[in-house]
Amino acid sequence: IAYLDRTVHETDGEPKPNGGVSTLSKSIDLQGRVETGDKTTIASKDFGGLYSTKPLALIKPAGSDDVSRVIKAASRTPRMTVAARGNGHSINGQAMTNGGLVIDMRSTEENHFRLLNINGSLFIDVSGGALWENVLTRCVSRFGLAPRSWTDYLSLTVGGTLSNAGVSGQAFRYGPQISNVTELEIITGKGDITVCSETRNPELFFGSLGGLGQFGIITRAMVKLQPAPDMVRWIRVVYTEFDEFTRDAEFLVSRDDGESFDYVEGFVFCNNDDPVNGWPSVPLDPVHGFNQGIIPQTGASVLYCLEVAFHYQKGDHPSTVDKAVAGLLKPLRFVEGLKSEVDLSYVEFLLRVKRAEEQAKANGIWDAPHPWLNLFISKSDIVDFDQTVFKKMVKDGIGGPMLIYPLMRSKWDNRTSVALPDSEIFYLVALLRFVSRGPSVEESVAQNREIVEWCIKEGLDFKLYLPHYQSKEEWKRHFGNQWTRFVERKASFDPMAILAPGQNIFKRTHLS
Ligand code: FAD
C-alpha cells in the first residue's frame, strides 16, 4: 500500500496500474481481489451522479480477514484513506475516496445467512454486504419470516443503511432499521475484528449504527425477524389541506400496535397534469384513475397524498379485510372519493420501487443525476416548511417524488450516532430529484442549498438525513450536543480519526 500510495502521490494521482497490484495482494495476503485502473470505475461514482473521484484501488474482500488486513495495512500508511462501499447508492460521494482504497462489500454478500432462535426470538445473521432485497426474498421463501423495518427501495446493502438509519413506512412502529439489529461484527479503524452488541462493546455498537461508516466496516449484522404476512392492501388517499393531512398521519403513527395500518407514508404532489409530480403520479391502479373534478376549489398548487398499507393472510376472508381497512380509514378526513387501492403480495409490495426502477431504466431516466435532499424536521416546524418550501419553492415540482411522513423519536435509540430533531414526532422530508427534465443539476443543487439555508435562518429544528457536510463547523452544528461523544467514540476505534484543525474529521471517506 505504501508503494501504491507513493506512486499515486508522486504521479499526480494517476496510479501505475498493475505494477503495485500483485505487490499489494501478496504483501497483505489477500484472499479476495484488488482492482486498479479502469476496473475501479464503478467506485469512482455513485447514484447521485454529482461527484467523481478516482480511487487508488478497489478491494473485493473475500471476508472479514481481508477487510482487517487492508485496514491494518492502510493505517500504516499515513495519507491512505479507506471507504467501505455498499451498493454505491449514496448521493454525495459518501462511499468514495480520492486516491484511497474502496472496499467493495458486495463481494462478501454470500458469507453469512443463518437463522437464529435466541430464547424464542428469531434473527437472521447476514453479511454487511448483502442487499436487503435478497435478505427479504430468502427469508420469506425459506422461513416465511421477514425483517420488520425497511427502506422504500431494497437494492441497498445492510451495512450501507445501518450506517445511516434505514427508514420507511414501518419505522413509526418498529423504529428505523438501526433499532432492529442486536449484534454486529465490525472491523474497526485499527483493523480489529470485533463483535459488538448492546452489552458487548456497546460504544462500538451504538457508534456504528448511524455512524456514517466512521467507526469501522460492518461485516455481519443480526437482524430481528417476524412472521411475514402473505398479502398487503396498499392504499392512497388525497388531502387538499396540509393540517388535515398531518393530523391524520400523526394520528395513525401515534396509535397502539394493532390499532393502525402497518405502513404509513405520504407525499406532496402538484395540482396539475405533470406526469411525474402531478395527478398522474397518484393512482395506484392505472386503469381507475382519480376523478379530479371532485377536488374542491380551495385546492392549492400542491396537494397531499397519505399512503398506507394493511397486512393480511391469504386465508383471511375478503370481507374481514374490507371491514378492518374501512374501520381504520373511517376517522380520516381525506377528500371523499379520492381513494385508490391495490392488493399485492408482501414481497411485491416491498419491491415496489424496483418496478419503478425498471420503468425508469427503460425510459432512460434512472441514470440521470440525483441531487437529492433528505431532512428530518420537527413537528413544530413542519407547517412553516410546507408554507415556504412545498407551497412556494417547489410548487411546480422537482422531477421526482416529494416524500413527507411522520416518525416517532421514542422508537429510536439515543445511544446511536444519528442526529435527530428534538420533538417526539418529526417528519422525514425527501426531495428525490431526477434531473432529466426541468431544472438543471446546478439549479437543483442551488435550490437544495437555499432550502437548507432557509431552515437554518428561520431556526427550524431539523437535521440532514444522509448528511454530507464539508467543514468541521458544519459537522459540529449537525451533531450539536452529541459532537463530543461522536468524536471521542470515533477516536477510540480509529487512531487516525482526528485530523489537524481545518481538515475534515472524516479521514476515511473522500471528504477530507
Ligand atoms: P453506500 O452508498 O455504498 O454507502 C453509504 C455509506 O455507508 C458510506 O458512508 C459507506 O462508506 C458506508 N458503508 C457502506 N457499507 C458499509 C459497511 N458494510 N460498513 C460500514 N459502512 C459502510 N434510505 C432510507 O433510509 N430509506 C429509504 O426509503 C431510502 N430509499 C432510497 C432509494 C433510493 C433509490 C436510493 C438511491 C437511496 C435510498 N435511501 C433510502 C438512502 C440509502 O439508504 C443510503 O444512501 C444508503 O447508504 C445506501 O446504501 P448503499 O448500500 O448503496 O451504501
Side-chain angles (χ1 to χ4, degrees):
I1 289 185
Y3 166 77
L4 275 178
D5 184 43
R6 238 184 356 261
T7 56
V8 165
H9 289 96
E10 283 166 10
T11 55
D12 278 343
E14 279 304 316
K16 284 184 193 146
N18 301 327
V21 177
S22 56
T23 318
L24 174 60
S25 295
K26 276 188 209 141
S27 68
I28 56 178
D29 192 20
L30 212 65
Q31 304 301 304
R33 291 205 322 271
V34 182
E35 312 278 20
T36 54
D38 290 350
K39 290 188 177 157
T40 64
T41 306
I42 185 174
S44 65
K45 51 189 183 183
D46 64 15
F47 183 80
L50 306 175
Y51 299 97
S52 173
T53 57
K54 199 163 173 43
L56 174 64
L58 176 64
I59 314 279
K60 293 182 173 274
S64 306
D65 286 341
D66 273 0
V67 177
S68 165
R69 286 190 193 109
V70 169
I71 294 188
K72 279 186 176 151
S75 64
R76 291 193 293 272
T77 308
R79 287 173 300 195
M80 185 56 64
T81 54
V82 177
R85 185 178 199 273
N87 207 23
H89 276 52
S90 291
I91 299 300
N92 293 281
Q94 285 93 331
M96 293 182 197
T97 168
N98 191 9
L101 303 177
V102 174
I103 303 188
D104 180 1
M105 293 306 292
R106 290 297 313 287
S107 67
T108 66
E109 165 134 31
E110 296 298 325
N111 290 11
H112 307 277
F113 190 80
R114 196 161 54 114
L115 182 69
L116 302 170
N117 183 335
I118 300 174
N119 300 328
S121 299
L122 295 162
F123 303 88
I124 193 78
D125 211 28
V126 285
S127 167
L131 288 185
W132 282 106
E133 63 191 22
N134 295 336
V135 176
L136 168 72
T137 48
R138 290 170 86 171
C139 284
V140 171
S141 64
R142 290 201 198 170
F143 315 120
L145 299 167
R148 314 184 310 173
S149 185
W150 293 100
T151 46
D152 293 346
Y153 172 70
L154 306 189
S155 298
L156 309 170
T157 62
V158 170
T161 69
L162 294 181
S163 296
N164 284 296
V167 291
S168 184
Q170 304 83 9
F172 78 91
R173 176 167 299 157
Y174 299 113
Q177 291 182 313
I178 53 169
S179 295
N180 289 275
V181 284
T182 53
E183 186 181 283
L184 299 172
E185 180 191 83
I186 294 179
I187 318 304
T188 68
K190 295 174 183 168
D192 298 334
I193 303 179
T194 315
V195 175
C196 58
S197 67
E198 185 169 12
T199 51
R200 196 173 165 190
N201 298 312
E203 287 296 301
L204 179 60
F205 180 69
F206 290 115
S208 301
L209 294 172
L212 308 170
Q214 298 302 304
F215 294 84
I217 297 186
I218 301 168
T219 43
R220 184 174 64 71
M222 210 162 106
V223 183
K224 287 183 190 169
L225 297 177
Q226 67 180 8
D230 297 327
M231 299 293 295
V232 170
R233 181 161 298 174
W234 182 16
I235 304 160
R236 286 181 178 170
V237 291
V238 171
Y239 293 77
T240 56
E241 306 307 319
F242 188 66
D243 58 347
E244 291 180 353
F245 164 78
T246 51
R247 189 208 73 110
D248 284 357
E250 290 174 21
F251 168 75
L252 290 174
V253 300
S254 310
R255 304 213 77 192
D256 289 338
D257 288 6
E259 292 180 14
S260 188
F261 285 100
D262 297 294
Y263 161 104
V264 178
E265 283 203 10
F267 61 92
V268 178
F269 66 99
C270 301
N271 192 3
N272 60 32
D273 282 333
D274 181 83
V276 175
N277 278 122
W279 277 100
S281 66
V282 184
L284 288 167
D285 171 2
V287 181
H288 306 101
F290 280 127
N291 176 4
Q292 290 160 238
I294 302 175
I295 276 289
Q297 291 305 312
T298 54
S301 55
V302 291
L303 304 169
Y304 310 92
C305 177
L306 181 68
E307 179 175 271
V308 292
F310 180 80
H311 294 173
Y312 63 95
Q313 301 299 346
K314 272 188 188 143
D316 291 341
H317 196 278
S319 66
T320 315
V321 177
D322 291 347
K323 203 170 152 203
V325 169
L328 292 172
L329 287 174
K330 193 156 185 258
L332 309 186
R333 297 188 207 165
F334 58 90
V335 180
E336 214 183 320
L338 293 182
K339 174 161 87 73
S340 168
E341 62 183 34
V342 287
D343 290 87
L344 67 180
S345 79
Y346 177 65
V347 171
E348 281 175 323
F349 173 70
L350 288 177
L351 294 180
R352 62 198 181 279
V353 181
K354 190 150 188 91
R355 288 196 301 279
E357 174 184 359
E358 283 156 10
Q359 276 170 15
K361 278 187 169 157
N363 297 334
I365 56 170
W366 185 257
D367 295 326
H370 304 100
W372 287 7
L373 179 64
N374 288 273
L375 303 161
F376 291 136
I377 302 174
S378 178
K379 165 184 157 79
S380 55
D381 291 324
I382 201 68
V383 171
D384 283 353
F385 190 89
D386 172 61
Q387 289 289 342
T388 301
V389 179
F390 289 134
K391 288 201 169 72
K392 291 186 187 138
M393 290 187 189
V394 299
K395 68 176 172 31
D396 298 321
I398 57 164
M402 301 188 278
L403 307 186
I404 173 168
Y405 57 89
L407 297 162
M408 310 287 285
R409 205 178 199 284
S410 51
K411 303 284 181 180
W412 297 59
D413 194 319
N414 281 336
R415 294 170 292 180
T416 67
S417 290
V418 188
L420 295 175
D422 288 330
S423 63
E424 166 59 2
I425 294 183
F426 62 94
Y427 282 79
L428 174 106
V429 170
L431 300 180
L432 309 179
R433 305 166 189 268
F434 286 69
V435 182
S436 60
R437 56 201 276 283
S440 66
V441 172
E442 291 72 24
E443 286 164 336
S444 305
V445 170
Q447 191 175 59
N448 286 347
R449 196 176 311 119
E450 193 190 343
I451 292 169
V452 173
E453 281 169 5
W454 175 80
C455 291
I456 295 170
K457 184 167 79 57
E458 294 299 313
L460 262 57
D461 178 20
F462 84 103
K463 298 290 177 192
L464 270 196
Y465 177 47
L466 314 169
H468 51 90
Y469 297 111
Q470 298 293 325
S471 76
K472 187 168 173 179
E473 286 318 304
E474 289 170 309
W475 281 112
K476 273 178 103 163
R477 190 180 57 217
H478 174 75
F479 282 110
N481 54 18
Q482 292 174 46
W483 167 253
T484 310
R485 182 181 73 178
F486 185 85
V487 170
E488 285 174 3
R489 265 180 177 172
K490 180 168 162 50
S492 63
F493 298 109
D494 185 343
M496 299 192 301
I498 312 302
L499 302 186
Q503 287 184 283
N504 199 284
I505 58 160
F506 289 146
K507 164 85 175 162
R508 292 194 175 277
T509 72
H510 76 295
L511 293 168
S512 59

